[in-house]
Amino acid sequence: MELDDIFFVGKRPTTLRLVLGLMEDADSSLETYRWATPALLHSIHTKDDQLSKYVEDVFEQKGLIPYKPLPKEGLTSSSSAEETLGKMKMDYYVMRSKAKMALEELMALKDAKGDNLFCQKNHWWAVFRIFVDLQVCGIRENRYKEFIELMMDLRFDHVNAELDMTTLSNITQDIYRYPFTRWELKIPKDASSRWKTAYERMYQIADKLNKILIAKGF
């Protein structure tokens, strides 16, 4: 994805960076769709899968659906509806169990010094971010209370750092509020060495959890 690519929007040349910025900052769904259109057309023209995924992530963050085909066949009977509901409930409990195992694996990981990789309260930002990105147990953007309730319901024997609403909601103050695939694009140009060190730890936690969850079928 080349952010400095130039193309026409209407009769005016503009950069991909500007188009994506306007799409992200749009206050309405209509405005979001307006700027997503040239971005997606550019992704088709350049065969840029990363760009199309980027647009999809922005839509998900805003709670929008860029495209979803309508099923051709619906439920035909109440019995099939009950079977489907039962399967959904079973899938949810399986999902919760897998999520718990994934977090237990994460808590057991060590860094190069042999200390816990996950060791600070704000490391929950990485967990929340990946849960939103992969839609684990239905966790959505900004649903901090639901995430905390889920963590309590999973009843861990041990966690390496306390989870609380104040710390978790502060995710909005840093780049971790964006989908994981966009973190590297959001690194501040004037970031200090201390910030970069903390970022590298957060990135490693998110990357490890992302891979663990994907391996478990998420």
Side-chain angles (χ1 to χ4, degrees):
M1 182 167 59
E2 298 295 334
L3 296 178
D4 293 324
D5 280 356
I6 300 176
F7 52 89
F8 282 93
V9 176
K11 296 182 178 181
R12 295 184 178 182
T14 187
T15 63
L16 176 61
R17 186 188 306 275
L18 177 61
V19 168
L20 294 180
L22 291 169
M23 178 183 65
E24 291 179 20
D25 296 337
D27 294 328
S28 66
S29 58
L30 183 62
E31 192 72 7
T32 303
Y33 279 99
R34 175 188 175 189
W35 292 109
T37 300
L40 287 172
L41 288 173
H42 188 64
S43 73
I44 295 172
H45 177 72
T46 58
K47 298 180 180 179
D48 191 338
D49 293 336
Q50 184 185 8
L51 175 56
S52 61
K53 181 62 168 61
Y54 185 97
V55 173
E56 183 180 344
D57 288 341
V58 172
F59 270 74
E60 182 177 332
Q61 185 180 7
K62 290 173 175 281
L64 302 174
I65 301 176
Y67 171 77
K68 184 177 182 180
L70 183 68
K72 294 181 179 180
E73 298 180 357
L75 296 173
T76 57
S77 66
S78 59
S79 61
S80 61
E82 292 175 357
E83 291 174 0
T84 301
L85 181 60
K87 184 177 185 302
M88 288 175 62
K89 289 182 177 179
M90 180 61 70
D91 287 346
Y92 180 72
Y93 287 115
V94 171
M95 184 185 296
R96 283 168 55 107
S97 178
K98 289 182 177 181
K100 180 178 180 179
M101 288 189 290
L103 288 176
E104 288 174 341
E105 287 185 38
L106 180 67
M107 295 294 167
L109 294 178
K110 305 294 182 181
D111 61 16
K113 296 180 180 180
D115 298 323
N116 291 327
L117 180 65
F118 186 110
C119 59
Q120 297 179 10
K121 292 170 68 173
N122 67 344
H123 288 164
W124 284 107
W125 292 355
V127 177
F128 178 77
R129 181 71 264 157
I130 298 303
F131 268 53
V132 172
D133 289 356
L134 297 181
Q135 298 183 8
V136 177
C137 298
I139 296 299
R140 307 285 293 181
E141 203 72 63
N142 301 321
R143 304 289 179 84
Y144 309 123
K145 182 179 179 181
E146 292 180 14
F147 177 76
I148 290 175
E149 289 175 348
L150 173 62
M151 295 300 103
M152 293 178 64
D153 288 344
L154 293 181
R155 300 181 183 279
F156 298 104
D157 292 332
H158 170 76
V159 292
N160 299 348
E162 181 185 358
L163 171 62
D164 61 67
M165 179 67 76
T166 301
T167 303
L168 185 61
S169 59
N170 281 338
I171 192 175
T172 59
Q173 300 175 13
D174 219 319
I175 67 172
Y176 310 113
R177 67 186 183 274
Y178 295 103
F180 178 55
T181 55
R182 294 164 60 193
W183 283 9
E184 290 183 308
L185 299 173
K186 296 294 182 178
I187 296 175
K189 294 181 179 179
D190 60 348
S192 66
S193 58
R194 181 179 179 182
W195 186 94
K196 289 181 179 178
T197 298
Y199 166 79
E200 290 171 1
R201 172 65 65 103
M202 194 77 77
Y203 185 96
Q204 190 177 6
I205 291 170
D207 184 52
K208 293 286 187 183
L209 179 59
N210 190 58
K211 291 176 178 176
I212 292 171
L213 287 168
I214 289 176
K216 292 185 181 301
F218 287 95

